């Protein structure tokens, strides 16, 4: 019996994994990860796999980066944790300054304040509550959110309420907040004028119900979990304008797209649009530790300052035990420092271009429906030739030393931003061979 098989048996007897069907889990022979270096995962039997999805879209500089390791170790020697409720600390302050300095600029307000949370979902929850409370403290209560079809914003109930992914979200509908869905500008089923249709729907919804809407929330430029549905920047410009016209806030969920993923620091930069609230997570700590944040415009923050004559405090009564944990902040600071010093955004942009070129012949295969890409976020949609075609392609890639995780029948490629040329070749070659094996 291999070490992997032994650990998998123990796993199956005690563990319940996220987004996992346990009836098939053991039979799928999960990789039991023991170590990682750079873009490589190494299992308990010593087999090496290229981490083709950056450990679920988080790893920016590769695993075990010496600078992030050193930053966490140094922080550990000084301060493990101290609450952000009533005290503050230097890594939390420095990271806020760094995020404000990096915030996107353009059509919209300046983002000047940072509110921390723990995961992408909890950043989204905070943003939704901020938006609603903002409406109650600036005009009148606006209890509705506008969301896009196919959207994914996380798994807590507020985040599910603004999601539009039927497979993930349908089961919870009776529990959810009041939201209004709008067609996705990335939905291929709508045909070539999907962007125009989505803008028209958004305009109609805001005309009809705009004064009840506290916020419009979108994943800017590309809906990741929907299968990498990229869309036109024009939609974001229209959303900015419609939010302003009707007094709603605009929320960009950059949990997946932030920190260089799309070849720019923020996806918002592709459109030149700045939201009132921006959520980020995943890549913030380089993929090391759970941390997320909401970047807020000054006018939003100011609405939470108590004024003379107020009958109740305007405080945002929200937070978590581990908000702004210093180890997480130190990892994030090191990640951002390396990103700046080594032009990681430039590296990500070049990696995206190289991948696009290498994927051209793959996209021409009959075994591929469509390849969608923005920077280093790539979805390769395959035709369903069996029950779990996307998964079968990933298993075949795994036999070739590349670990991938699909979204249904879309095979995702989302490597670390600093992936080298040889590993990039391996990633694309393994995918191409896997497609030929499973589908051709
Ligand atoms: C992953 C993701 C989330 C949820 O983040 P978690 O850290 O898994 O809670 C939210 N929004 C988007 C766009 C995401 O891709």
């Amino acid at each position: 019996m291999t070490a992997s098989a032994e650990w998998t048996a123990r796993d199956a007897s005690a563990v319940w994994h996220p987004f996992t069907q346990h009836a098939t889990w053991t039979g799928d022979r999960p990789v039991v990860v023991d170590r990682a270096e750079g873009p490589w995962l190494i299992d308990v039997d010593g087999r090496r796999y290229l981490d083709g999805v950056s450990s679920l879209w988080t790893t920016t500089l590769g695993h075990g980066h010496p600078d992030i390791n050193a930053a966490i170790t140094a922080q550990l020697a000084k301060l493990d944790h101290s609450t952000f409720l009533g005290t503050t600390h230097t890594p939390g302050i420095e990271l806020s300054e760094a995020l404000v300095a990096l915030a996107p600029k353009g059509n919209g307000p300046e983002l000047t304040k940072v509110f921390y949370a723990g995961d992408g979902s909890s950043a989204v929850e905070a943003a939704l509550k901020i938006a609603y409370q903002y409406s109650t403290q600036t005009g009148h209560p606006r209890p509705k959110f506008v969301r896009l079809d196919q959207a994914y914003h996380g798994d807590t109930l507020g985040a599910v309420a603004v999601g539009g992914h039927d497979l993930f979200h349908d089961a919870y509908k009776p529990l959810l907040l009041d939201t209004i869905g709008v067609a996705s500008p990335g939905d291929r089923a709508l045909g070539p004028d999907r962007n125009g249709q989505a803008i028209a729907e958004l305009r109609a919804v805001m005309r009809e119900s705009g004064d009840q809407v506290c916020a419009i929330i979108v994943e800017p430029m590309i809906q990741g979990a929907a299968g990498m549905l990229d869309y036109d920047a024009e939609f974001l410009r229209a959303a900015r304008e419609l939010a302003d016209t009707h007094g709603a806030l605009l929320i960009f969920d950059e949990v997946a797209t932030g920190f260089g993923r799309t070849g720019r620091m923020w996806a918002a930069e592709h459109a030149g649009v700045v939201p009132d609230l921006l959520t980020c997570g995943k890549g913030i700590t380089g993929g090391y530790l759970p941390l997320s944040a909401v970047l807020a415009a000054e006018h939003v923050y100011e609405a939470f300052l108590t004024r003379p004559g107020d009958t109740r405090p305007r405080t945002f009564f929200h937070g978590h035990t581990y908000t702004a944990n210093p180890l997480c902040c130190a990892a994030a600071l090191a990640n951002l420092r390396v990103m700046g010093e080594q032009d990681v955004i430039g590296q990500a942009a070049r990696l995206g271009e190289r991948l696009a070129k290498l994927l051209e012949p793959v996209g021409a295969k009959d075994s591929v429906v469509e390849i969608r890409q923005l920077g280093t976020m790539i979805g390769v949609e395959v035709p369903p030739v069996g029950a779990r075609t996307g998964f079968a392609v990933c298993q075949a890639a795994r036999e070739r030393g590349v670990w991938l995780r699909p979204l249904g029948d879309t095979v995702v490629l989302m490597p670390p931003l600093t992936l080298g040329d040889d590993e990039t070749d391996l990633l694309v070659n393994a995918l191409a061979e896997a497609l030929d094996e499973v589908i051709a």
Side-chain angles (χ1 to χ4, degrees):
M1 207 176 185
T2 62
S4 293
E6 274 173 44
W7 281 105
T8 300
R10 286 172 64 176
D11 177 289
S13 77
V15 183
W16 189 348
H17 286 266
F19 277 91
T20 296
Q21 177 42 255
H22 275 275
T24 51
W25 168 244
T26 311
D28 291 343
R29 298 176 296 108
V31 177
V32 184
V33 181
D34 184 43
R35 294 180 293 126
E37 24 180 75
W40 296 96
L41 302 171
I42 302 154
D43 78 4
V44 287
D45 291 301
R47 278 184 301 247
R48 297 166 70 85
Y49 301 96
L50 188 70
D51 186 355
V53 294
S54 296
S55 291
L56 218 65
W57 317 359
T58 61
T59 311
T60 53
L61 311 176
H63 297 276
H65 192 282
D67 291 35
I68 303 183
N69 287 8
I72 295 172
T73 310
Q75 183 57 44
L76 192 55
K78 271 179 76 179
L79 171 66
D80 44 14
H81 180 67
S82 132
T83 179
F84 229 46
L85 286 66
T87 66
T88 189
H89 50 66
T90 56
I93 297 165
E94 285 182 338
L95 180 59
S96 304
E97 291 170 346
L99 289 169
V100 166
L102 286 173
K105 311 271 184 296
N107 173 14
E110 251 184 275
L111 301 174
T112 54
K113 294 292 188 292
V114 179
F115 187 93
Y116 292 105
D119 292 274
S121 308
S122 55
V124 169
E125 295 292 333
L128 298 177
K129 285 176 70 179
I130 289 170
Y132 174 69
Q133 191 173 337
Y134 173 86
S135 80
T136 69
Q137 291 174 180
T138 53
H140 60 277
R142 296 164 170 250
K144 295 185 194 217
F145 296 90
V146 170
R147 59 168 179 85
L148 294 183
D149 290 350
Q150 323 268 349
Y152 178 79
H153 297 290
D155 300 325
T156 50
L157 283 173
V160 168
V162 291
H165 193 300
D166 292 346
L167 177 66
F168 297 167
H169 300 147
D170 256 3
Y172 309 105
K173 281 223 167 105
L175 306 180
L176 303 178
L177 300 170
D178 198 0
T179 64
I180 308 171
V182 168
S184 160
D187 187 347
R188 271 46 183 179
L190 300 179
D193 190 36
R194 50 188 173 260
N195 197 51
Q197 186 177 332
I199 292 174
E201 269 192 40
L202 181 60
R203 182 162 286 130
V205 157
M206 292 306 282
R207 197 182 303 127
E208 178 137 326
S209 315
D211 75 332
Q212 289 300 298
V213 173
C214 66
I216 301 168
I217 179 167
V218 300
E219 295 154 88
M221 297 304 293
I222 182 166
Q223 294 183 299
M228 305 301 150
L229 302 181
D230 57 317
Y231 64 84
D232 199 304
E234 187 55 34
F235 180 82
L236 299 177
R237 293 191 271 270
R240 178 69 277 176
E241 183 204 311
L242 287 164
D244 289 343
T245 302
H246 295 278
L249 297 182
L250 182 62
I251 305 174
F252 282 179
D253 179 356
E254 295 244 19
V255 169
T257 50
F259 304 104
R261 246 315 134 205
T262 69
R264 309 289 272 276
M265 179 57 79
W266 308 103
E269 293 172 23
H270 294 274
V273 173
V274 181
D276 302 287
L277 295 167
L278 182 154
T279 56
C280 58
K282 289 199 168 102
I284 187 171
T285 61
Y288 271 64
L289 289 164
L291 181 72
S292 65
V294 183
L295 276 52
E298 189 68 15
H299 74 99
V300 177
Y301 172 80
E302 277 178 358
F304 287 74
L305 300 177
T306 293
R307 296 158 202 192
D310 279 353
T311 50
R312 61 184 308 277
R314 291 168 184 254
T315 312
F316 186 40
F317 289 105
H318 180 99
H320 299 285
T321 310
Y322 284 102
T323 290
N325 172 267
L327 298 170
C328 301
C329 292
L333 276 166
N335 179 43
L336 296 181
R337 196 180 319 117
V338 173
M339 281 196 147
E341 284 169 5
Q342 300 180 11
D343 185 28
V344 172
I345 306 295
Q347 290 188 54
R350 286 190 291 280
L351 174 60
E353 282 160 23
R354 189 173 150 79
L355 280 162
K357 193 164 239 129
L358 293 172
L359 284 165
E360 250 171 53
V362 177
K365 286 177 187 287
D366 289 339
S367 55
V368 170
V369 177
E370 184 184 38
I371 298 186
R372 299 178 285 269
Q373 176 176 8
L374 186 66
T376 67
M377 297 177 76
I378 298 166
V380 180
E381 186 178 338
V382 298
V385 296
R388 297 158 78 201
T389 311
F391 180 75
V393 172
C394 293
Q395 287 292 73
R398 177 178 160 185
E399 298 305 318
R400 294 163 173 85
V402 172
W403 190 76
L404 299 171
R405 181 175 166 87
L407 292 158
D409 285 331
T410 297
V411 177
V412 174
L413 305 185
M414 217 191 283
L417 307 179
T418 53
L419 194 71
D421 286 353
D422 290 352
E423 285 104 351
T424 309
D425 291 344
L426 171 67
L427 178 64
V428 174
N429 290 338
L431 171 72
E433 289 178 24
L435 287 166
D436 290 346
E437 181 187 312
V438 174
I439 301 170

